[in-house]
Amino acid sequence: MYRIEQTDAELLGTQAEIVYELTFDAAERHLLGIELEVTTRGEPCLEFVLPAWTPGSYKIREFSAHFTLLQAEDERGALLPVEWCEKHRFRVHCASAERVRLRALYYGNERSVRTTHVDRWHAFVMPSNCLPYVEGRQQELHHVVLRRIPAEWSTVTTALSPVEVHEHRYGAINYDILADSPIEVGSHTVLRCTIDGVVHELAIVSQEPVQSEWLPDAVGRLVPVVRDFWGGSLPYDRYVIIVHVAPGMFGGLEHARSQVLGVEEAAFREPAAAQRFLRLLAHELFHAWNGKRIRPRELGPFDYTREVYTPLLWLVEGVTSYYELLCAYWAGVLTQRELLQQLALDVERLAHTPGRFALSVRDSSLLAWVKLYAASPDGVNRFPSYYLKGELIAWLLDLWIVSHSEGKRRLRDGLLGLWERTRQRPHEGLTEEEVLHILQESTGVPLAGMLRQWLSERAELPYEEILKRVGLQLLWEHPQPTPQSLGDGIAIAPQLPPRFTGLSLRETPEGLLVEAVEDDSPAAHAGIAVGDELLALDGYRVRTRQQWERILAAAGAPLEVLAASNGRVYRTVLAPELERTARVLIRAEDAAQLQLLQAWLQPPLRAPESLPSAELPWDAGVSR
Ligand SMILES: [Zn+2]
């Protein structure tokens, strides 16, 4: 029976018949030593399986490519025959062995939130990459012992529960929990923040010094908001946040008792970057409920060896992306204006995704393995992201429920219904029909038919109609030139708004390259394609994106483009259009609409009176 809950108290002092020993003798060469000892039960052979993917990231990564089995032996050290059956499955013939001991190496040299990374400075071990499970024995206790840790690595952070602290022995009550519990070993900084007596450990893994002292306070504001959203209690007895800080990193991965984030150093000191960082943290924390516990039936128990297909990633990722914004707003990470700006920006982003007409969000979820996680530069034209479209569907659904219940219900009530059902039958995930049914029953608002349409059809979402019901307005505008002056008011040239061409460009040492072209855009009509190099615009040589955009912004008529495709130069004419930007405005017409707006934005579990007055909708005026 699938189980993802574990408390530290359960594991202390336990014994296990499946024990992994991890060693770090060749860490500087990105090699993790793995010894796995299994007590046999008289089986003629044992089968071992390496996962091919990591839950939360829908891509076959073939971890066995990095796994080398050195040998198998019995308790006396006698070698046992090994037979590979499939690319990620091998069999050890046990004869009369009482214990089978495998020796293996894992090459961990990919830096991401979901892959094992080992070097001379640290080891980040993702058990779902590198630790094979014993077929048929996944439900047993599993222990992990860390041995021969380099002297300068003083710290271990993991959501696995300590079994025997002095020997770095940790445990999981089953393989699913082991697979879901990354381990960070090194000389990282650990900060703590205690909420309701539950310790939240923050491991900051960075080569450069970072100013992280402020982070526990921010986490201390976010966690209670998310907790209150879900009814007021935390679902774990300890929670671990591992933050990898490195250039170019941005992303996160959710686990039941932990999360792993990757950010750049600027996330600790630049306000906009810090805001994105905290939104990401809120997102992964929200997943501790929605995604890890409340989950589609296919996402726990898992088949680790192959793709699993679910139409519900709009719920897992889209709804979480929506509440990432609202929770950040409720925690004071975003202002109300910034919340509305972000929603408008996301409407714009989807409007620049022609693929929303090509594939439904439901199918985008089912096909995540070959769409979102295998996106080609043409992907923008072929499918919508279930994160983005799912977020906007969640927003509209929330407003729909608010407006059809006179502000007495919102999407949160539907999610609390899913949470209640999950707590009743935690071992069993949800089907699509169950989700629609529970959302409707828990809110008392007829929504299943409409939601099914939004999920399975490819039409534009009805923003205007639904926003209007609660006193919001979506406004599309052409940005105007912005006057600029310096010193004591000396006017200089106005800042010109950008023009729309449908091109995404990348500057490279070779030149200005086309990364993507939106279907039915000026660039598509001009025949400009992905991979082309842009050489000149309107007779001027262009080498940077800035040059390209400046010439475009000043242009009033179609321009000649000189470009190269596959080694040969061609000429074409590009007719840029005026850019369109979206704004979400508060246009409540009466007290009833204001009440609906307030119901939408009201923090969970708090009376409306306790809203800070600056955050009342009617004080915000016109917001983008
Ligand atoms: Zn997510």
Side-chain angles (χ1 to χ4, degrees):
M1 191 176 278
Y2 182 73
R3 190 178 154 194
I4 197 70
E5 300 297 355
Q6 155 169 327
T7 60
D8 283 349
E10 282 177 274
L11 269 291
L12 210 58
T14 52
Q15 304 282 326
E17 297 193 340
I18 300 175
V19 181
Y20 303 83
E21 276 185 28
L22 307 184
T23 54
F24 307 91
D25 306 304
E28 70 280 5
R29 295 176 53 228
H30 311 297
L31 294 172
L32 176 70
I34 299 168
E35 296 192 8
L36 167 53
E37 191 171 278
V38 184
T39 304
T40 62
R41 301 205 175 134
E43 311 92 329
C45 57
L46 287 176
E47 274 192 13
F48 297 86
V49 184
L50 268 163
W53 63 287
T54 289
S57 176
Y58 308 100
K59 181 174 181 171
I60 296 295
R61 292 177 196 272
E62 307 290 23
F63 299 118
S64 63
H66 310 295
F67 180 88
T68 302
L69 179 61
L70 302 174
Q71 64 178 56
E73 59 190 36
D74 69 9
E75 66 277 9
R76 293 179 304 275
L79 291 182
L80 296 171
V82 176
E83 181 192 350
W84 279 91
C85 320
E86 291 171 18
K87 59 190 171 186
H88 42 53
R89 181 187 298 269
F90 57 92
R91 191 176 292 150
V92 175
H93 295 270
C94 312
S96 57
E98 286 173 16
R99 285 192 300 280
V100 168
R101 190 173 183 86
L102 303 181
R103 294 179 196 279
L105 285 176
Y106 190 83
Y107 177 70
N109 190 22
E110 189 184 342
R111 190 85 202 255
S112 82
V113 296
R114 61 187 78 83
T115 46
T116 295
H117 183 259
V118 182
D119 67 12
R120 63 172 63 244
W121 312 110
H122 86 135
F124 173 65
V125 178
M126 275 293 287
S128 59
N129 302 170
C130 56
L131 303 184
Y133 60 82
V134 188
E135 187 69 273
R137 294 181 60 177
Q138 294 97 309
Q139 298 310 316
E140 290 181 26
L141 275 182
H142 289 61
H143 281 184
V144 176
V145 188
L146 310 182
R147 290 219 202 286
R148 304 201 295 278
I149 300 175
E152 55 279 20
W153 296 8
S154 52
T155 312
V156 178
T157 302
T158 178
L160 289 174
S161 299
V163 173
E164 169 53 67
V165 184
H166 302 297
E167 66 160 353
H168 285 305
R169 180 180 284 259
Y170 301 89
I173 57 163
N174 58 40
Y175 182 81
D176 291 309
I177 292 176
L178 172 65
D180 188 53
S181 307
I183 308 165
E184 177 69 40
V185 196
S187 51
H188 52 276
T189 303
V190 178
L191 303 164
R192 285 187 178 79
C193 158
T194 303
I195 294 147
D196 300 346
V198 175
V199 175
H200 293 66
E201 294 172 27
L202 290 141
I204 314 295
V205 186
S206 177
Q207 296 294 66
E208 295 178 56
V210 291
Q211 301 169 45
S212 56
E213 307 75 23
W214 58 272
L215 195 56
D217 273 355
V219 171
R221 292 184 66 151
L222 279 169
V223 173
V225 165
V226 181
R227 174 202 63 195
D228 288 355
F229 181 93
W230 289 105
S233 58
L234 296 169
Y236 42 71
D237 67 323
R238 181 167 61 90
Y239 191 76
V240 168
I241 301 172
I242 298 173
V243 186
H244 286 171
V245 187
M249 278 193 105
F250 189 79
L253 190 63
E254 68 275 16
H255 302 286
R257 286 156 50 85
S258 60
Q259 61 172 268
V260 183
L261 306 178
V263 294
E264 299 201 59
E265 184 272 329
F268 288 85
R269 58 178 172 78
E270 284 181 6
Q275 209 172 40
R276 283 181 76 207
F277 173 25
L278 292 178
R279 278 177 48 189
L280 183 63
L281 198 153
H283 179 106
E284 305 306 342
L285 181 67
F286 198 85
H287 273 319
W289 286 262
N290 186 40
K292 293 312 293 186
R293 290 174 173 86
I294 299 171
R295 63 191 187 279
R297 188 152 294 178
E298 300 79 11
L299 297 182
F302 298 101
D303 183 341
Y304 293 101
T305 65
R306 57 178 60 87
E307 296 87 343
V308 298
Y309 299 96
T310 172
L312 284 171
L313 292 178
W314 65 269
L315 171 68
V316 175
E317 294 301 350
V319 168
T320 300
S321 297
Y322 172 60
Y323 282 109
E324 157 197 330
L325 293 176
L326 278 179
C327 289
Y329 163 62
W330 289 324
V333 171
L334 290 179
T335 64
Q336 181 177 282
R337 179 176 291 259
E338 287 167 333
L339 169 70
L340 297 182
Q341 278 174 345
Q342 188 59 51
L343 288 165
L345 201 63
D346 291 338
V347 170
E348 262 177 43
R349 283 170 58 214
L350 188 62
H352 282 298
T353 307
R356 70 192 185 284
F357 299 125
L359 199 70
S360 70
V361 72
R362 188 182 178 282
D363 287 346
S364 169
S365 165
L366 276 165
L367 299 179
W369 302 88
V370 289
K371 298 295 175 191
L372 193 73
Y373 276 88
S376 80
D378 199 37
V380 68
N381 298 313
R382 306 300 158 225
F383 65 91
S385 152
Y386 48 78
Y387 283 81
L388 179 58
K389 190 167 178 187
E391 172 198 313
L392 294 169
I393 285 177
W395 180 33
L396 295 186
L397 189 59
D398 198 12
L399 299 182
W400 174 269
I401 295 167
V402 166
S403 70
H404 280 77
S405 63
E406 293 170 344
K408 293 188 181 65
R409 292 278 180 272
R410 41 186 176 165
L411 178 55
R412 172 172 177 255
D413 296 287
L415 296 181
L416 286 174
L418 298 179
W419 181 222
E420 188 49 40
R421 146 67 180 79
T422 300
R423 285 201 292 189
Q424 284 162 9
R425 298 206 301 282
H427 53 279
E428 198 179 277
L430 296 150
T431 65
E432 190 179 23
E433 277 312 305
E434 233 179 322
V435 168
L436 296 180
H437 177 76
I438 293 172
L439 289 180
Q440 179 158 298
E441 289 299 302
S442 316
T443 56
V445 170
L447 54 80
M450 180 195 65
L451 180 55
R452 198 174 284 118
Q453 250 181 12
W454 291 352
L455 297 172
S456 56
E457 291 184 355
R458 297 172 292 177
E460 201 75 88
L461 292 171
Y463 304 108
E464 281 81 0
E465 178 201 327
I466 290 179
L467 265 61
K468 209 171 129 195
R469 291 171 169 276
V470 300
L472 290 173
Q473 187 192 0
L474 178 70
L475 192 67
W476 288 98
E477 292 176 324
H478 297 302
Q480 299 300 312
T482 317
Q484 302 187 100
S485 63
L486 54 81
D488 199 15
I490 296 177
I492 60 167
Q495 193 185 357
L496 298 174
R499 294 297 172 111
F500 172 68
T501 59
L503 284 170
S504 300
L505 302 179
R506 184 161 53 97
E507 283 175 29
T508 72
E510 294 78 49
L512 198 52
L513 295 186
V514 176
E515 263 198 332
V517 182
E518 276 179 45
D519 273 359
D520 200 26
S521 65
H525 295 148
I528 300 173
V530 170
D532 288 0
E533 183 189 347
L534 302 175
L535 301 169
L537 180 60
D538 200 22
Y540 298 99
R541 184 78 171 92
V542 285
R543 288 191 174 81
T544 66
R545 202 157 34 187
Q546 208 186 9
Q547 274 179 311
W548 171 268
E549 278 162 12
R550 201 174 59 230
I551 298 169
L552 270 183
L559 302 171
E560 189 187 65
V561 174
L562 187 67
S565 162
N566 197 16
R568 286 180 66 183
V569 171
Y570 69 91
R571 279 172 208 282
T572 183
V573 173
L574 179 66
E577 292 170 4
L578 293 173
E579 187 66 85
R580 279 189 343 141
T581 54
R583 298 209 298 166
V584 173
L585 307 178
I586 290 174
R587 286 283 162 81
E589 282 166 5
D590 50 33
Q593 279 198 332
L594 277 177
Q595 210 182 342
L596 294 182
L597 270 179
Q598 206 175 23
W600 169 47
L601 290 174
Q602 184 188 327
L605 292 191
R606 266 203 271 162
E609 299 82 68
S610 68
L611 271 174
S613 63
E615 295 292 281
L616 287 172
W618 47 83
D619 282 350
V622 171
S623 300
R624 180 182 151 156

